[in-house]
Amino acid sequence: MQDIRRNNVDRFTGFGALYDQNRPSAPTEVVEILTTYLGHKPRMVADVGCGTGLSSWIWLHEADRIIGFEPSDDMRTVAESKWESAGKPDNLRFVSGLSHELGLPDDSVDILTCSQSFHWMEPQSTLSEFARVLRPGGIFAAYDCDWPPMLDWELEQAYQQLVLTADNRALQLSSPESQAYKWSKDGHLGQIQQSGLFRYVREIVFHHRETFDAERYVNLALSQGGLQTALKLGADEVRTAADEFRQLAVKVFDGHARSALFSYRMRLGIV
């Protein structure tokens, strides 16, 4: 299990800036939904697997304290750089940490989130740790968007094919002992329910729009971990496929910015 955890962390090395500049910002609906269930302003929010902090900043004025946990030095460095540029806000900090050993006191967290990250965590040990640190009535929420965002069916189809090609090539080129492991997002709700650690469990679906031009849409695809892994391993055919995808994106956008729709699925549990 330790090797899997290390491989999952290593998967996100080397493209923190690309990730941060092109991934969608966390929707404000996350704050609205979770604060409504909590019933008051959270004293402590833990954002686990926070990456470059895109999912942490939405809590800046909505919680007394926020801690972003990110084991990837590359991703966390980007988060810390943005924190410094923003004047080092006192109520926000970023630390290295794994989901099964957060190092927080018992009953110390009101809201704990995993944005696009819970599928990289071993669920049983992770959920036990989350339940330990959450206060009674506290909330765990794993939320993910569907890839790719809705914009143009031909471009979406090409996006899916590019990512599938890259994932398959990465598996072919990498040794079994170095491969990352991803738990199915479709299993999140069942894992939360079956843990027996939460008294209320449900799934909530919502949407979020962001503006893209051709370059950002292509870079969104390039920010996928499997594609980056394939490129690192020298998969020239994936690089060629990415160039062809870029040409299609330029044609579809035709020099204009367009609104893309992200569909989100939040699976939550209340202790």
Side-chain angles (χ1 to χ4, degrees), residues 1-10 177-180:
M1 182 55 64
Q2 188 61 39
D3 288 343
I4 290 175
R5 291 188 176 111
R6 176 46 52 192
N7 292 345
N8 287 356
V9 172
D10 290 345
E177 60 270 15
S178 68
Q179 291 173 4

Side-chain angles (χ1 to χ4, degrees), residues 157-269:
Q157 187 178 62
Y159 186 119
Q160 292 169 340
Q161 185 57 53
L162 174 62
V163 171
L164 179 62
T165 298
D167 284 345
N168 289 338
R169 197 69 183 111
L171 282 174
Q172 294 168 357
L173 292 172
S174 59
S175 61
E177 60 270 15
S178 68
Q179 291 173 4
Y181 182 82
K182 179 165 55 175
W183 282 265
S184 172
K185 295 178 184 179
D186 292 338
H188 287 354
L189 190 68
Q191 288 159 354
I192 298 170
Q193 289 172 325
Q194 293 162 19
S195 73
L197 298 168
F198 302 89
R199 52 182 166 165
Y200 182 67
V201 177
R202 72 162 294 174
E203 179 174 348
I204 299 170
V205 178
F206 55 97
H207 305 284
H208 173 66
R209 284 191 176 272
E210 290 210 10
T211 301
F212 282 79
D213 57 14
E215 180 180 9
R216 186 184 178 198
Y217 199 88
V218 171
N219 285 340
L220 182 70
L222 291 173
S223 75
Q224 301 288 331
L227 209 150
Q228 284 294 317
T229 299
L231 293 177
K232 291 174 191 174
L233 293 170
D236 291 337
E237 65 274 37
V238 173
R239 193 176 303 279
T240 299
D243 289 340
E244 293 171 353
F245 178 69
R246 183 182 301 277
Q247 293 171 16
L248 177 60
V250 169
K251 178 182 177 182
V252 168
F253 280 89
D254 192 27
H256 301 286
R258 294 181 59 179
S259 176
L261 180 71
F262 286 92
S263 297
Y264 278 84
R265 303 171 194 275
M266 175 187 285
R267 288 88 171 190
L268 63 81

Side-chain angles (χ1 to χ4, degrees), residues 4-53:
I4 290 175
R5 291 188 176 111
R6 176 46 52 192
N7 292 345
N8 287 356
V9 172
D10 290 345
R11 182 182 175 92
F12 293 93
T13 298
F15 60 104
L18 178 75
Y19 184 105
D20 186 68
Q21 293 165 8
N22 297 287
R23 287 292 181 110
S25 300
T28 57
E29 286 85 353
V30 170
V31 173
E32 295 169 6
I33 292 167
L34 299 182
T35 302
T36 296
Y37 272 129
L38 187 66
H40 59 81
K41 181 180 180 179
R43 290 161 286 179
M44 170 70 83
V45 171
D47 186 26
V48 182
C50 70
T52 63

